[in-house]
Each structure stands twice: as C-alpha cells, then as structure tokens.
Amino acid sequence: MASTVTEREDLENHHKDCLVRLCNPHVATMKEDVLYHFNLSTGTHNFPEMFGDVKFVCVGGTPSRMQSFIRYLALELGIQHPGDDYPNLCEGTDRYAMFKVGPVLSVSHGMGIPSIAIMLHELIKLLYHARCSGVTLIRIGTSGGIGLEPGSVVITQQAVDACFKPEFELKVLGKRVVRSTGLDEQLVRELAQCSLELSEFPIVVGNTMCTLDFYEGQGRLDGALCSYTEKEKQEYLQEAYQVGIRNIEMESLVFAAMCRACGLRAAVVCVTLLDRLKGDQISSPHEVLNEYQQRPQRLVAHFIKKCLGSAALS
C-alpha cells in the first residue's frame, strides 16, 4: 500500500511541475504567434501575465454555458465580487468565448470535432506561451445516453469512435494518422470520488462514443437521410451498451487525443439528455434541460474546489 501511495504522490508532483508542451517544433521559432480564432496574439498580449496562473481549463459547447459556469464557480470558490461580469477575453471574435476566474479558464468550443480541434490547437498554444504548469483540462457538456435515465452524468473512462475503437483518425498531408484517445485514469478516479461526495444525481463511469454526425452517425431515425431500420439501430446501440458505452457525443475523441499527445491531464464529464434506446428526439422541457446541463458543472466545480483546498493545505 505504501508503495502505491508513493507512486501516486510522485505522479501528482510530476503533474504539478510539468510545463505544457507542444508537439510542434516550428512554434518555438515564430517571432509572433497569432491565435486567430481567439483574437489573441503573443505580439499584442502578455500571455504569462494574463494566463500564467491557470491550473484548470473547462471547455464546453456554447459561450453562454461557459460564462454561467465561471459565474457559478466564482461563487463556489468565494472569489466573486459585486458587479463582476467576467468579460469575454476573446472579445472581437464571435468564433469562441473565454472567461477566467482565479486559476480557472472557461472556454466555449462549438459543436463537433472540427470546431473543438481548432479551439484546442490555439488553447494549448496559449497555455504553452503562458508557461502554465500542472494544468488539468475537463470537457463539460451534454450527450445522448445509452441505457441511462435522462439527467445522468457520465464520467468518461475511454473515448471511442463509432466502431468502438479507442482511436482518433486524421488525414495529415494525405496520410492516415491515428492517435490514442486514452484519458487520465487517476483523474477519472478523483472525479468518481467527488461524485460519491455529491450524491445529488446519478453519476456513472463509462465509455463515451464520439461521432462525426448528430443524425446518421448516431443511428437516429429522424434525420433528412436514413438508410437503416429501427431494428438495425437498436442492435447497434445494444452492442455499444454491451462494450461499456454509456453515452454519445461529438467531441471527446479529438479532445482526448490532443490532450494525451501534449501530455495534458484531461477528462470528459457529460450529462445525458435522453436514453437513445427509448427514442431519438429530446423532448424534456427547457427548464428541465437547463437543470440537467448544470449537473456536470456542479460536479466539476466540486472537484476544482476540493483540489484548490488541498493545494492551500499542502
């Protein structure tokens, strides 16, 4: 037991001291790096001053969701001040939005792999230029559940593609490049422990399937195109359930792959808006969906608050 604890402490200390790295030697030779989609540049902004203290980055689909998260987190951390409106640090572009409170950055990423991939390239470079260390990235979002009641929160054990493989495929210069989509196992355990401490809503650990499409790619019957039967859809979703998949979304593959490649500790926490075994369309009232969307935020805020409390004590 003692050796296990020591190994865990060594990993944690390594993470705290580890600077964000890039897998691109060309960036170090650039006189100026323009993060176009953030409307930020190393030539016009002091990244270490603005972002050097960042330890946690939470990303999610929409600007409004990520702004509401930063407001909630500020309240939870006790660093909210009257009149604070938490301005968008990417002001001047409507592509992404970024908000900050203390050592936490909250960034929108849009919908789908291409959108979040662009954001991640620039976000990871931002953290690199700011000389951040010991950073944890968490995607908080919505998803379709498989065999779960709506409102259940899934902590992703492993991100897999539509063929249930834990890999992300990309064409680079016309060649097929495959990257692993493994997520940080220790971080999954830490989030699972936080879920036990909250006990406010159903939380499970399971695999997450990431698709390139919301309709045919996820086996829906209600799109403009559909070439399969209800029976075939059910067989596919049942097979997914049997291999441990508990939800479906559209970003986790590239999120896991890019974070892993750059040595960043990362996790995915999503709420389910429906059980895909029982239907394809989201029909819950707006106020119910809004409460569901806050559940990953509450879990992750609890985790961050716990981590910062532990850091203050150490």
Side-chain angles (χ1 to χ4, degrees), residues 35-92:
L35 308 186
Y36 173 73
H37 300 90
F38 284 166
N39 198 34
L40 297 171
S41 168
T42 57
T44 56
H45 297 80
N46 187 330
F47 282 31
E49 183 179 285
M50 294 175 67
F51 306 108
D53 64 336
V54 169
K55 296 298 181 184
F56 300 93
V57 182
C58 298
V59 303
T62 67
S64 60
R65 188 185 304 161
M66 300 321 292
Q67 187 175 45
S68 68
F69 172 69
I70 213 71
R71 287 173 176 159
Y72 171 70
L73 186 63
L75 186 63
E76 285 293 297
L77 296 179
I79 54 179
Q80 188 175 33
H81 303 285
D84 282 352
D85 58 358
Y86 305 102
N88 178 10
L89 300 178
C90 295
E91 188 177 7

Side-chain angles (χ1 to χ4, degrees), residues 257-268:
M258 290 185 67
C259 289
R260 182 180 179 88
C262 292
L264 290 163
R265 203 166 80 126
V268 178

Side-chain angles (χ1 to χ4, degrees), residues 55-61 66 105-121 123-124 127 135-141 154-161 166-170 179-184 187-188 191 208-212 249-270 300 303:
K55 296 298 181 184
F56 300 93
V57 182
C58 298
V59 303
M66 300 321 292
L105 208 56
S106 177
V107 190
S108 68
H109 59 57
M111 181 181 288
I113 283 176
S115 184
I116 192 175
I118 294 168
M119 186 280 292
L120 284 170
H121 275 283
L123 172 65
I124 295 171
L127 298 171
V135 181
T136 296
L137 271 69
I138 304 178
R139 167 169 141 68
I140 51 178
V154 179
I155 301 169
T156 302
Q157 181 95 43
Q158 191 173 55
V160 300
D161 65 13
E167 59 184 37
F168 171 63
E169 179 181 330
L170 182 68
R179 292 176 179 144
S180 172
T181 58
L183 290 161
D184 190 279
L187 182 53
V188 170
L191 287 165
T208 295
M209 180 165 67
C210 178
T211 68
L212 302 178
E249 46 86 272
M250 298 174 62
E251 292 86 20
S252 61
L253 271 181
V254 71
F255 176 79
M258 290 185 67
C259 289
R260 182 180 179 88
C262 292
L264 290 163
R265 203 166 80 126
V268 178
V269 181
C270 290
V300 172
F303 166 74

Side-chain angles (χ1 to χ4, degrees), residues 88-312:
N88 178 10
L89 300 178
C90 295
E91 188 177 7
T93 176
D94 59 0
R95 190 63 65 184
Y96 303 107
M98 180 186 299
F99 310 94
K100 185 176 184 295
V101 63
V104 184
L105 208 56
S106 177
V107 190
S108 68
H109 59 57
M111 181 181 288
I113 283 176
S115 184
I116 192 175
I118 294 168
M119 186 280 292
L120 284 170
H121 275 283
E122 298 189 11
L123 172 65
I124 295 171
K125 290 200 297 176
L126 179 154
L127 298 171
Y128 165 79
H129 290 306
R131 296 192 59 77
C132 294
S133 63
V135 181
T136 296
L137 271 69
I138 304 178
R139 167 169 141 68
I140 51 178
T142 59
S143 64
I146 301 181
L148 298 177
E149 287 298 313
S152 301
V153 171
V154 179
I155 301 169
T156 302
Q157 181 95 43
Q158 191 173 55
V160 300
D161 65 13
C163 295
F164 313 154
K165 295 180 180 179
E167 59 184 37
F168 171 63
E169 179 181 330
L170 182 68
K171 297 297 191 298
V172 178
L173 301 182
K175 298 178 181 178
R176 180 175 179 264
V177 175
V178 177
R179 292 176 179 144
S180 172
T181 58
L183 290 161
D184 190 279
E185 295 179 2
Q186 177 62 27
L187 182 53
V188 170
R189 288 193 290 269
E190 291 172 13
L191 287 165
Q193 178 59 41
C194 287
S195 73
L196 296 176
E197 295 164 4
L198 277 181
S199 300
E200 297 177 7
F201 39 79
I203 303 176
V204 302
V205 174
N207 294 338
T208 295
M209 180 165 67
C210 178
T211 68
L212 302 178
D213 171 60
F214 184 80
Y215 286 96
E216 290 181 288
Q218 296 187 12
R220 278 183 162 84
L221 302 173
D222 58 343
L225 302 173
C226 184
S227 59
Y228 42 84
T229 65
E230 164 74 25
K231 181 175 180 292
E232 290 172 325
K233 165 203 159 181
Q234 287 293 336
E235 288 174 348
Y236 176 69
L237 295 180
Q238 289 288 352
E239 183 181 358
Y241 184 86
Q242 292 302 318
V243 297
I245 296 171
R246 293 296 176 266
N247 63 335
I248 312 173
E249 46 86 272
M250 298 174 62
E251 292 86 20
S252 61
L253 271 181
V254 71
F255 176 79
M258 290 185 67
C259 289
R260 182 180 179 88
C262 292
L264 290 163
R265 203 166 80 126
V268 178
V269 181
C270 290
V271 69
T272 62
L273 301 184
L274 76 167
D275 182 355
R276 288 295 317 288
L277 295 176
K278 297 179 179 178
D280 295 333
Q281 298 200 332
I282 301 169
S283 57
S284 298
H286 175 75
E287 59 272 17
V288 173
L289 293 176
N290 186 56
E291 194 278 325
Y292 285 170
Q293 291 177 25
Q294 294 172 14
R295 293 181 177 185
Q297 298 183 17
R298 300 214 292 273
L299 174 59
V300 172
H302 179 80
F303 166 74
I304 292 174
K305 185 176 180 180
K306 183 179 178 180
C307 288
L308 292 178
S310 298

